[in-house]
Amino acid sequence: MSCRIRTRWIRTFGCALSLLTLFPVSGVSAEPRWIKARLGSFEAISDDGRKAATQALSQFEQFRFALGAVMGQPDLRLDPPLRIIVFKNASDLQTQCPPTLIMGRDRLMACTSAEGQLPSGLLRELTRKLLEDNFSRMPAPIETAIETFFSTVQSTAVHVTWGAPPPQAERTREWAMLHRIITQSDYAGKAKIYLHNLASGMDRGAASRNAFGEDGTKFEADVDQYYAAGVFGAAVAPNRPLNPDRDFNTTFLTSDEGQLMHADLLTGGSAAIYQSLLQAGKQTAEANEGLAVLAMKDHDPAKARPYMDAARKAGTRNFVALTTYATFETDPARAIEILKEALTIDPKYAEAHWVFGEKLSDPARRMAEWKQAVNLAPRDYEWWAQYARLCVDQKQYAEAGRAWMAASQAAPNVQLREQYLTARGQIEQQRLDDEDAERRKEAAAKAADIDRLKNEARRELAELEARANTNPLSAAEKAKTVEWFEDSGGQKITGSLVRVDCAGKQLRLAVKDNDGQTVNLVVPDPKQLEIRNGDSLVCGAQKTMTHVTVSYKPSSKPPKQDAKAVAGEATLIEFQR
């Protein structure tokens, strides 16, 4: 080996460097194999050094930035961050990981290599996930078109291009509309306004007027022309300037941490890795979680149970695995205990709130948990619909109407949207029907109560009659009896009611008979006076001539020759009509 350098010192130093390159000197530490690089909503795991991790991570970050730029929200977030496993080459990637988003042991995961482009299927799924986690639902054809448009994005650590046409079958009219407003300079700067308007619930006509100042009809006609022309070219997309030394947060991982994260892809070799970690006493909680999750994927809760119990004992923080396990638990009390653990770790995990509600027997408590779930996951139209039905069952009609409206906004197609809006329109009639049923129920209850009182009165009377017939009154009891006045034994006077004096607790009636004589009668207890063909007596001189017949009990004292003398006690007054 020769070093063609002029000076001897440089020649010697250069040769030494070459030898060090070929034969590492003992005692000089190489870069650790396992690296974790973190940037925003992504983290990359690589066993091939920092450069491989940051290059792979850059692709995802540039893609996220481009989508955010189009949607008018640059800082799109995923929580928890998407974990990216970086393979050394495309061959290893293809054999060890599917080209899609993967639900791993505790989070969403993806795979890539340091070189090469992200597959279109993965980009489509990533677009959908970022839209779901950051925006309200837009019309389904628009969302599908956005996914298709971004499935052909090409990105590196520095440059991004978009607009390359997808396969012919995927070039819908909505895709052409997006291609026009995103890649054409006359519209590109305002495309984010248009899409943000759609995400806010604005209709397409209003969105085009607000964003481009164009009438909706003209805008749609221009889209038809653009689509028919069929000329679709790629264009340079916005990119985020990235500094590898400044923007990426990198940390070294131990070999067991790196192996764990590879196993978390839940592929065919994952179980063996988890078992080896347990045998080595490493990552105990996580390895047990992984084995439990694999068993649950195979629908084998009995096999999952000991692993999940061991993970809980080791202090698991995996709220996803805990929630999944609770769905398999048949004992509601145990399931609720597990779900409380999950919600203590992450109170904003919508799935845990929903499953918690399913396990509760009290409808009011279930409604409270489901309300939290739908507010945390507003795109889940099936949850909204179930929550709305529960609100109707609990007669919470205002909340049911709100839930049906949210379900219609989250519906993925027109048919479901119309179905949910129809259900919302029936809320008012359901409320009226329920109120009517309640009124009938109350009336029936009152009638039943009256019948009960009548029956009790009849029974008591029958008992009294039976007792009187079988047990005659003794002489002492007869002496205590109160004389009962019957109208047949009294007297009557027919004439005109002249005056009613209301003095204290009693009344005094003045009745002028047909001969012109005034008869004074007293009513000691107005409650005992029976009034027929009238409502009540008016105190004072009577303003109109009122013809009455008054039954009274004559006074036991001899009558006095006095105009104010009382002839007796009135018992009944009947108004003559």
Side-chain angles (χ1 to χ4, degrees):
M1 178 183 298
S2 63
C3 297
R4 298 180 181 178
I5 308 295
R6 291 183 179 179
T7 63
R8 183 178 179 183
W9 181 84
I10 296 177
R11 184 186 305 116
T12 304
F13 182 70
C15 291
L17 286 177
S18 299
L19 292 173
L20 283 172
T21 302
L22 293 175
F23 308 103
V25 178
S26 177
V28 177
S29 61
E31 184 181 18
R33 295 182 63 202
W34 292 99
I35 291 288
K36 178 169 76 171
R38 172 75 184 269
L39 181 60
S41 292
F42 303 110
E43 62 178 37
I45 310 300
S46 170
D47 63 352
D48 196 24
R50 185 178 189 276
K51 182 179 180 181
T54 56
Q55 282 184 335
L57 190 56
S58 297
Q59 282 188 296
F60 282 84
E61 174 58 19
Q62 295 291 12
F63 176 85
R64 183 199 66 85
F65 184 82
L67 177 60
V70 163
M71 296 300 301
Q73 186 172 318
D75 193 19
L76 301 181
R77 293 188 175 277
L78 293 175
D79 187 24
L82 177 70
R83 179 170 291 160
I84 304 157
I85 304 300
V86 184
F87 287 84
K88 292 181 179 179
N89 53 62
S91 176
D92 290 347
L93 172 64
Q94 186 175 3
T95 57
Q96 299 183 44
C97 185
T100 59
L101 292 180
I102 304 157
M103 187 60 222
R105 172 183 57 86
D106 63 343
R107 69 182 65 205
L108 205 62
M109 302 179 70
C111 300
T112 188
S113 60
E115 304 293 338
Q117 292 298 315
L118 301 178
S120 61
L122 175 60
L123 292 178
R124 183 184 291 274
E125 292 181 0
L126 183 56
T127 302
R128 184 181 307 127
K129 179 62 177 173
L130 287 167
L131 290 177
E132 288 176 351
D133 283 16
N134 292 275
F135 300 99
S136 300
R137 185 178 291 276
M138 292 179 283
I142 297 294
E143 289 205 352
T144 302
I146 295 174
E147 294 169 15
T148 302
F149 183 86
F150 278 89
S151 70
T152 63
V153 166
Q154 301 283 304
S155 62
T156 65
V158 179
H159 301 292
V160 184
T161 60
W162 56 19
Q168 185 67 42
E170 298 178 12
R171 299 179 199 176
T172 64
R173 181 185 179 281
E174 285 72 21
W175 173 85
M177 182 272 294
L178 287 178
H179 191 281
R180 177 173 180 253
I181 66 173
I182 293 174
T183 64
Q184 303 300 300
S185 58
D186 293 344
Y187 292 91
K190 299 177 181 178
K192 61 184 178 183
I193 302 175
Y194 178 79
L195 293 175
H196 190 77
N197 288 340
L198 292 181
S200 300
M202 191 179 294
D203 65 78
R204 291 177 61 167
S208 62
R209 286 192 301 272
N210 182 269
F212 310 119
E214 288 188 8
D215 177 73
T217 303
K218 181 181 182 305
F219 176 78
E220 298 297 340
D222 291 344
V223 170
D224 288 336
Q225 281 188 330
Y226 189 82
Y227 182 42
V231 180
F232 309 115
V236 176
N239 68 290
R240 176 181 174 182
L242 293 175
N243 186 325
D245 298 324
R246 182 190 64 215
D247 295 326
F248 298 92
N249 180 14
T250 57
T251 55
F252 301 140
L253 301 178
T254 62
S255 60
D256 56 277
E257 289 175 326
Q259 291 173 26
L260 172 68
M261 292 179 185
H262 265 252
D264 287 347
L265 290 170
L266 306 181
T267 58
S270 295
I273 298 175
Y274 288 138
Q275 292 287 6
S276 67
L277 289 172
L278 289 178
Q279 291 172 4
K282 303 289 183 67
Q283 308 293 332
T284 304
E286 292 80 0
N288 277 300
E289 291 166 13
L291 291 168
V293 171
L294 287 171
M296 288 186 284
K297 285 186 67 177
D298 292 336
H299 302 282
D300 191 349
K303 183 178 179 181
R305 183 165 190 159
Y307 292 123
M308 205 66 232
D309 287 344
R312 293 171 66 196
K313 186 176 180 180
T316 178
R317 302 289 296 170
N318 190 339
F319 54 87
V320 176
L322 287 169
T323 303
T324 305
Y325 180 62
T327 62
F328 288 95
E329 181 56 61
T330 56
D331 180 1
R334 178 176 163 82
I336 288 172
E337 177 188 350
I338 294 170
L339 289 164
K340 286 181 178 179
E341 292 178 23
L343 289 171
T344 300
I345 299 168
D346 185 359
K348 294 184 178 181
Y349 187 43
E351 185 78 22
H353 283 290
W354 186 264
V355 178
F356 195 0
E358 289 181 323
K359 299 296 182 180
L360 294 171
S361 58
D362 180 8
R365 291 184 61 198
R366 176 179 299 171
M367 191 164 64
E369 289 298 328
W370 280 7
K371 183 174 183 177
Q372 292 191 68
V374 294
N375 287 330
L376 288 167
R379 278 175 162 255
D380 197 318
Y381 60 94
E382 293 179 334
W383 282 6
W384 276 115
Q386 290 189 59
Y387 174 61
R389 296 186 188 101
L390 178 60
C391 290
V392 172
D393 292 341
Q394 295 302 300
K395 307 186 190 314
Q396 299 295 319
Y397 296 109
E399 183 67 8
R402 187 182 77 86
W404 281 126
M405 178 56 72
S408 70
Q409 292 171 345
N413 55 60
V414 176
Q415 291 76 15
L416 273 177
R417 176 180 172 83
E418 292 301 321
Q419 177 183 326
Y420 295 152
L421 288 175
T422 300
R424 181 178 183 271
Q426 295 171 348
I427 289 291
E428 181 62 17
Q429 187 60 47
Q430 288 174 324
R431 183 184 67 80
L432 293 174
D433 291 345
D434 181 65
E435 290 178 355
D436 184 57
E438 284 296 320
R439 284 193 294 269
R440 289 198 300 270
K441 183 178 178 181
E442 290 176 4
K446 289 180 180 178
D449 196 44
I450 292 173
D451 289 340
R452 179 182 59 79
L453 293 174
K454 286 180 178 180
N455 291 332
E456 288 180 358
R458 292 190 186 101
R459 179 177 54 77
E460 290 175 359
L461 181 60
E463 290 175 353
L464 288 173
E465 289 177 346
R467 189 164 62 243
N469 292 332
T470 56
N471 299 305
L473 294 175
S474 64
E477 289 174 330
K478 288 180 180 179
K480 294 180 181 179
T481 59
V482 178
E483 182 180 359
W484 182 260
F485 170 74
E486 293 184 359
D487 183 64
S488 60
Q491 296 185 16
K492 294 182 180 181
I493 179 173
T494 301
S496 301
L497 183 62
V498 178
R499 185 178 184 84
V500 178
D501 291 323
C502 302
K505 295 183 178 180
Q506 63 180 351
L507 304 178
R508 189 182 181 96
L509 310 180
V511 181
K512 183 179 288 187
D513 62 16
N514 294 332
D515 296 330
Q517 299 294 320
T518 300
V519 178
N520 296 314
L521 301 170
V522 68
V523 181
D525 185 359
K527 294 181 180 179
Q528 300 300 320
L529 177 65
E530 183 180 354
I531 301 175
R532 294 179 182 174
N533 298 330
D535 295 328
S536 61
L537 299 175
V538 179
C539 297
Q542 304 301 295
K543 296 181 179 180
T544 60
M545 187 70 69
T546 306
H547 297 284
V548 297
T549 297
V550 182
S551 299
Y552 67 95
K553 180 181 178 183
S555 176
S556 60
K557 297 180 180 180
K560 296 181 180 180
Q561 300 299 321
D562 185 352
K564 296 183 177 181
V566 175
E569 296 180 4
T571 58
L572 181 147
I573 181 168
E574 182 177 2
F575 291 89
Q576 304 297 321
R577 297 183 181 278

